[in-house]
Amino acid sequence: NLEAKAQALATMQAWSEQYASAQDIPDEHLPAVYDLRHINGQDMTLPVRDQMHCGSCHAMSFIQVAEQRLKQ
């Protein structure tokens, strides 16, 4: 459901819109649990991909971020 995914993404982005960095978040505002597999009932993770030994972790992380944005 696209509407549910959009709401989950908005929940995730609220932290970055409200605070400049993770260090700026007051301890009392931190959730006890933050699981990307369950944000407002949505799984926001992607399947695991084998990067082998080529050192492509930076490229893979960029591609996965772009891919997630395009899925919206």
Side-chain angles (χ1 to χ4, degrees), residues 11-45:
T11 298
M12 292 171 53
Q13 291 174 334
W15 289 95
S16 63
E17 291 170 359
Q18 189 170 3
Y19 302 104
S21 72
Q23 289 78 20
D24 294 338
I25 303 171
D27 290 343
E28 60 271 8
H29 291 166
L30 291 173
V33 175
Y34 192 79
D35 187 347
L36 290 174
R37 296 169 298 170
H38 184 72
I39 304 291
N40 294 353
Q42 298 294 310
D43 184 353
M44 301 302 284
T45 63

Side-chain angles (χ1 to χ4, degrees), residues 7-9 20 25-26 29-30 36 38-39 44-45 47 57-58 61-63 67 72:
Q7 180 60 39
L9 183 61
I25 303 171
H29 291 166
L30 291 173
L36 290 174
H38 184 72
I39 304 291
M44 301 302 284
T45 63
C57 55
H58 298 284
S61 64
F62 174 82
I63 289 167
E67 183 178 68
Q72 296 179 29

Side-chain angles (χ1 to χ4, degrees), residues 40-57:
N40 294 353
Q42 298 294 310
D43 184 353
M44 301 302 284
T45 63
L46 295 171
V48 174
R49 296 181 184 166
D50 186 359
Q51 300 172 38
M52 304 185 87
H53 300 288
C54 69
S56 67
C57 55

